[in-house]
Amino acid sequence: MNYVSTRGLVASANFEQVLLTGLAPDGGLYMPRRWPTVTKDQMASFAGAPYAEVAATIIGLFTGETFADAHLKEMAQSVYGGFSNASVAPLTPVGDKDYILELYHGPTLAFKDFAMQILGRMFDDVLQRHGKRLTIIAATSGDTGAAAIEALKSCKYVDVVVLHPEGRVTDVQRRMMTTVDAPNVLNIAVSGAFDDCQAIVKQLFADHEFAERTSLGGVNSINWARLAAQTAYYFTACAALGARDETVNFVVPTGNFGDVFAGFAAKKMGLGIGQLVVATNANDILHRALTSGDYTPANVTPTTSPSMDIQVASNFERLLFEVMGRDSSGLREKMANFAADKTMALTTQERQAIAEHFISYAASEEETLAEIRRHYEKTGALIDPHTAVARCAAVRLRAQGALEGKTVTLSTAHPAKFPQAVERATGVTPSLPKEYSTLFELDEHMVTAENDVSAVKSIILDRVGAVRG
Ligand SMILES: *Cc1c(COP(=O)(O)O)cnc(C)c1O
């Protein structure tokens, strides 16, 4: 399997390079040169198959020569076998044709475990082969950091540094990161917002001397390997629904456009997906882009679904690349103009091409909390605010006649990760699964830093230097 950059200025890469570098050297995002296809026979074999088996087949279509089939299967079994639910990604009916796909049974109780866990194995495997060591750095608004630390803490060849905005993640989110006591894990609480953390990370990558010295690598959702792993649950969900000739819609709570783009990839691979619904919170740039063609970032509004408090959705570039017929020079120009003008207008043709696959809805805070309450009253089950944004979109769009037939809403986090919002909506405090009973007793390990790139840099150099001797 070969990969190209959306910006078209680098030679093609293999999966291993895509995994280790994340962003392409020309500033673009890697995309498979051709979409792999899943045959009807393969699709039929997914019905009733264990999650790990389907995942290994799907991921294998993207990893090409990098891992032997049996080895990939073994990695998938060991990773997904550690999830707390035997089905790994169980599907629960919530109405006549509506289902919830629970993606929060991994070790950090959010869907990011699906990709991050297997990435950890892939990193160690590839790095060991090359005798290399990598420093993975990530900025997090909460879930990515915990998933990355949990997945990479036992890696022999990876150091992991996570920047989170001090005081702006939930206690559960912070403790899932800081209570991990491992020599290769460094938590930095930055006195600033998530965007500041993100800006620092970007500056660190841009500092070539620093990046080289620490062998910097990234695991945010621009890393194609993450999206490759996430396409798997679209396949298992359709298989579980026994959907043959009818298509299935997916409603996806969206921030960086990664998860919903994985759904698009699954559709391109031949899966019978109807509509892909982009559900956003008040940070509605994607909803505006899809409904009016106006892609203009506003200021970030903090909401009860913080993992979606994002204005510039990095993976949107991948969709633009597709709808522009993979015209990378046109895309380069578009992205350069966007960087200069901080606004982008989609053409009628681009909007039409997007509308063939995607619709959108932006849920307000009031709607989100009302949906948590409504869902609880109707089913007796608690959902987290990110899931509620998506359920809200599903309910409203169906009422408007925009969604017909079987519809799966992705449930991306366990309600106990966002206890305040859930309690505010229902009066009930969701409890953490019992495996986490010591979370509030363990010591926390983190350092604090000013919102300043050189302060962060020297903290990292001290630590990475000490670990590597
Ligand atoms: C990261 C995250 C999202 C958004 O996913 P994207 O791939 O960034 O669109 C939604 N819900 C939860 C709980 C998340 O952690």
Side-chain angles (χ1 to χ4, degrees):
M1 167 63 69
N2 252 304
Y3 290 83
V4 295
S5 164
T6 51
R7 307 267 174 114
L9 295 179
V10 290
S12 65
N14 62 19
F15 180 78
E16 207 174 287
Q17 290 163 311
V18 168
L19 171 72
L20 295 180
T21 53
L23 196 69
D26 60 358
L29 307 186
Y30 282 118
M31 286 280 280
R33 181 183 292 283
R34 264 183 223 90
W35 292 109
T37 48
V38 177
T39 63
K40 284 260 179 296
D41 281 352
Q42 275 175 317
M43 216 86 89
S45 76
F46 293 165
Y51 185 89
E53 218 163 88
V54 180
T57 303
I58 297 295
I59 297 170
L61 296 173
F62 290 106
T63 54
E65 309 285 287
T66 304
F67 308 102
D69 287 351
H71 183 44
L72 187 58
K73 199 165 159 184
E74 186 189 291
M75 290 196 285
Q77 274 163 348
S78 119
V79 159
Y80 298 115
F83 280 42
S84 65
N85 186 293
S87 312
V88 183
L91 202 57
T92 316
V94 283
D96 188 16
K97 291 183 166 175
D98 276 290
Y99 303 83
I100 282 185
L101 183 64
E102 295 175 10
L103 299 175
Y104 52 75
H105 298 291
T108 70
L109 307 177
F111 84 96
K112 292 192 168 74
D113 290 325
F114 275 83
M116 215 68 92
Q117 283 287 312
I118 194 145
L119 252 66
R121 306 294 167 111
M122 290 178 175
F123 275 129
D124 245 15
D125 192 88
V126 168
L127 291 167
Q128 176 175 29
R129 268 187 252 163
H130 293 285
K132 281 208 272 186
R133 200 175 172 88
L134 205 64
T135 304
I136 292 292
I137 187 156
T140 186
S141 56
D143 294 330
T144 302
I149 288 172
E150 189 59 37
L152 302 173
K153 67 179 184 190
S154 328
C155 286
K156 288 202 191 91
Y157 303 93
V158 179
D159 297 302
V160 52
V161 180
V162 173
L163 275 58
H164 75 262
E166 191 176 11
R168 299 197 196 197
V169 299
T170 70
D171 290 346
V172 174
Q173 286 180 314
R174 190 192 66 253
R175 285 187 156 270
M176 277 188 172
M177 300 190 275
T178 60
T179 55
V180 174
D181 186 11
N184 65 335
V185 172
L186 174 60
N187 277 292
I188 305 179
V190 175
S191 53
F194 168 68
D195 282 343
D196 299 316
C197 297
Q198 181 117 298
I200 290 174
V201 168
K202 282 191 180 148
Q203 284 171 276
L204 293 176
F205 274 104
D207 180 339
H208 293 293
E209 200 224 307
F210 176 84
E212 202 145 299
R213 214 163 132 197
T214 53
S215 329
L216 220 50
V219 285
N220 67 15
S221 66
I222 57 157
N223 193 317
W224 180 261
R226 279 184 58 184
L227 301 196
Q230 288 170 224
T231 55
Y233 45 72
Y234 289 90
F235 283 90
T236 60
C238 285
L241 288 175
R244 294 237 156 131
D245 299 323
E246 57 177 328
T247 57
V248 176
N249 307 306
F250 283 89
V251 187
V252 188
T254 307
N256 229 346
F257 205 74
D259 205 6
V260 75
F261 194 80
F264 177 76
K267 190 172 181 182
K268 284 286 184 183
M269 293 161 79
L271 187 62
I273 293 181
Q275 303 277 10
L276 286 160
V277 179
V278 174
T280 75
N281 63 23
N283 297 289
D284 63 350
I285 181 169
L286 288 166
H287 176 61
R288 279 184 283 122
L290 266 54
T291 49
S292 72
D294 169 30
Y295 189 83
T296 309
N299 288 329
V300 174
T301 308
T303 71
T304 50
S305 46
S307 299
M308 291 152 57
D309 290 349
I310 291 175
Q311 283 290 337
V312 178
S314 314
N315 284 293
F316 195 57
E317 178 169 339
R318 289 193 155 111
L319 182 63
L320 288 175
F321 182 64
E322 286 291 299
V323 301
M324 291 171 76
R326 299 199 156 203
D327 165 18
S328 41
S329 77
L331 182 71
R332 275 205 304 280
E333 193 185 323
K334 219 176 173 65
M335 296 313 291
N337 289 340
F338 176 66
D341 306 339
K342 308 281 180 272
T343 179
M344 184 187 329
L346 304 180
T347 66
T348 309
Q349 196 208 339
E350 287 156 9
R351 288 177 58 191
Q352 276 168 358
I354 293 174
E356 279 175 33
H357 307 281
F358 295 90
I359 53 174
S360 64
Y361 189 83
S364 68
E365 282 293 272
E366 293 70 33
E367 285 177 298
T368 305
L369 291 181
E371 181 57 31
I372 298 176
R373 185 163 51 245
R374 197 192 67 86
H375 188 86
Y376 178 63
E377 284 164 1
K378 188 166 166 237
T379 69
L382 297 172
I383 52 175
D384 100 288
H386 303 78
T387 307
V389 165
R391 274 299 292 155
C392 190
V395 170
R396 299 295 153 97
L397 290 171
R398 200 187 273 288
Q400 291 169 16
L403 273 181
E404 279 172 11
K406 288 182 178 170
T407 298
V408 173
T409 298
L410 270 51
S411 180
T412 47
H414 191 287
K417 270 194 121 167
F418 303 93
Q420 275 94 355
V422 174
E423 196 192 321
R424 219 168 92 208
T426 61
V428 181
T429 311
S431 48
L432 281 167
K434 58 180 180 317
E435 299 86 316
Y436 302 86
S437 58
T438 58
L439 193 65
F440 282 84
E441 289 154 26
L442 298 170
D443 287 338
E444 295 195 67
H445 306 273
M446 65 173 171
V447 292
T448 53
E450 290 303 309
N451 177 11
D452 168 48
V453 66
S454 50
V456 171
K457 204 183 276 185
S458 67
I459 293 170
I460 297 173
L461 284 175
D462 277 359
R463 174 62 85 88
V464 172
V467 172
R468 299 188 183 182

